[in-house]
Amino acid sequence: MFIDIPNELEAALLELPLPTWKLDGSFLAKSTRQAYRHELTAAPQFEETAATLRHALTREGGGYAVLRLGNLAKVLGTAGDRFLRLVTGFATEVAVPFSPFPRWPLWKDIGVKVDKDPGKSSGVGYNAFHMDLVNATLPPDYTTLLCVRPDPLGGGSSILSDPHAAVARLSDRSRALLAESAYHYGTFFDLFGVGEEYKPFPILDGSDAGEGFVRYTAKMLERSKLGRAHAEAARELAGELVRGQVSFMLQSGDYLIVNQRRFLHGREALRSGQETVPVADRRLLLQMFLRASAGGGSAA
């Protein structure tokens, strides 16, 4: 769902100097969240817009939203402090912003590196469907991406797919295999607020009610040793995810929020020729995670 900001609200937000944020551990401090809410809710139509955003992320059949903040970005600058505070303020209306990586800031840069693994978030190739921090017992409830610059060559569309709908199209045998704790992927170290390492894990993690995580990353099919039956079930799911995908191009100032209990995300390949684009002009996203509950108390 794409959400446009009403003109009256845009004008008010341009004049709203939100304070610099503070962190409590890796979570946005409660005092900052309260200050942002106090200022933002006084702006005309903000509460209605925030309610629309929350509904898009949690309603039946929903699970993602794109806030169209391009006009604000043009005036304030996409990476300017004032603009990032406004975006962070919108995020706090959904859940608590935090960084699971103590060595990184609240907002993490995802640029383009032509010498990296093409399938990584900073690569130039197809970034297949996945959920972030798939091997944590408490993955972020939401993953969010702010588009600073789209690919100037025109590639890199965002892709999303409803994994619960995909699972419903699978055979009973495949669903039973995906519910077994037979899957594993990646490493787990120096993380905060995401619980413990989950290894092995089931792909269908309490998903019968349509609200649990579908712990899927396509990379596990290439980089994990799986038994034949479990690998085939995961490949069947991969096919259904592609079959049900939606795609769109993020523009400068667009803010994508994905409910990880409802949708998986990825990216189409960037257009060829990235090595000819100056680093300062390449596609750039900023990523931030949200926790729907305290996750250990720091967010309270």
Side-chain angles (χ1 to χ4, degrees):
M1 179 177 184
F2 287 80
I3 302 174
D4 292 308
I5 306 301
N7 293 337
E8 189 178 5
L9 176 56
E10 279 187 341
L13 293 177
L14 288 173
E15 303 299 323
L16 198 63
L18 296 178
T20 302
W21 65 65
K22 296 180 181 179
L23 298 180
D24 177 7
S26 289
F27 286 89
L28 189 68
K30 184 176 182 179
S31 59
T32 298
R33 303 196 316 265
Q34 291 174 332
Y36 283 9
R37 179 156 181 76
H38 175 76
E39 295 291 337
L40 288 167
T41 54
Q45 301 185 62
F46 176 81
E47 289 197 278
E48 294 87 343
T49 303
T52 298
L53 173 61
R54 289 190 294 269
H55 181 67
L57 294 168
T58 59
R59 67 178 172 82
E60 184 176 353
Y64 73 91
V66 178
L67 275 176
R68 309 303 297 267
L69 304 173
N71 291 336
L72 292 168
K74 288 178 182 178
V75 177
L76 300 176
T78 46
D81 287 345
R82 286 187 61 194
F83 181 65
L84 281 183
R85 291 173 201 168
L86 286 174
V87 181
T88 305
F90 273 105
T92 62
E93 292 295 308
V94 174
V96 182
F98 80 109
S99 172
F101 310 102
R103 63 191 182 279
W104 289 338
L106 189 63
W107 288 94
K108 172 184 176 288
D109 287 9
I110 300 179
V112 174
K113 299 178 181 177
V114 296
D115 57 344
K116 288 286 187 179
D117 178 345
K120 287 187 174 294
S121 58
S122 58
V124 299
Y126 176 65
N127 185 221
F129 284 116
H130 64 281
M131 67 170 289
D132 290 322
L133 292 161
V134 66
N135 61 335
T137 54
L138 294 172
D141 296 287
Y142 297 88
T143 185
T144 80
L145 295 165
L146 173 63
C147 181
V148 175
R149 290 187 303 272
D151 177 7
L153 301 181
S157 294
S158 295
I159 55 174
L160 295 110
S161 191
D162 179 346
H164 298 287
V167 167
R169 296 192 293 268
L170 300 179
S171 65
D172 290 342
R173 180 175 183 273
S174 289
R175 286 196 295 269
L177 288 165
L178 295 174
E180 294 178 1
S181 294
Y183 298 88
H184 53 93
Y185 173 76
T187 58
F188 191 93
F189 65 94
D190 196 19
L191 297 174
F192 180 88
V194 293
E196 306 297 330
E197 182 175 15
Y198 199 1
K199 180 181 179 180
F201 55 80
I203 289 180
L204 303 187
D205 188 9
S207 60
D208 289 344
E211 290 293 336
F213 292 112
V214 176
R215 291 178 176 273
Y216 177 82
T217 174
K219 293 176 183 177
M220 74 172 88
L221 292 171
E222 302 173 358
R223 304 178 187 178
S224 300
K225 293 182 179 179
L226 300 173
R228 180 177 177 180
H230 289 99
E232 288 179 350
R235 289 192 184 95
E236 185 181 350
L237 174 57
E240 291 300 331
L241 289 169
V242 172
R243 176 185 171 192
Q245 79 175 37
V246 296
S247 65
F248 47 81
M249 186 72 72
L250 293 175
Q251 302 299 325
S252 180
D254 283 350
Y255 183 39
L256 169 64
I257 304 177
V258 181
N259 183 340
Q260 291 216 113
R261 295 179 184 274
R262 300 287 192 89
F263 273 81
L264 302 176
H265 67 285
R267 182 205 65 227
E268 298 284 7
L270 304 183
R271 288 284 175 85
S272 60
Q274 293 298 314
E275 66 280 356
T276 68
V277 179
V279 173
D281 295 333
R282 292 175 184 169
R283 184 178 189 261
L284 176 62
L285 304 180
L286 301 180
Q287 184 175 42
M288 184 173 67
F289 299 99
L290 308 179
R291 169 67 65 212
S293 58
S298 295

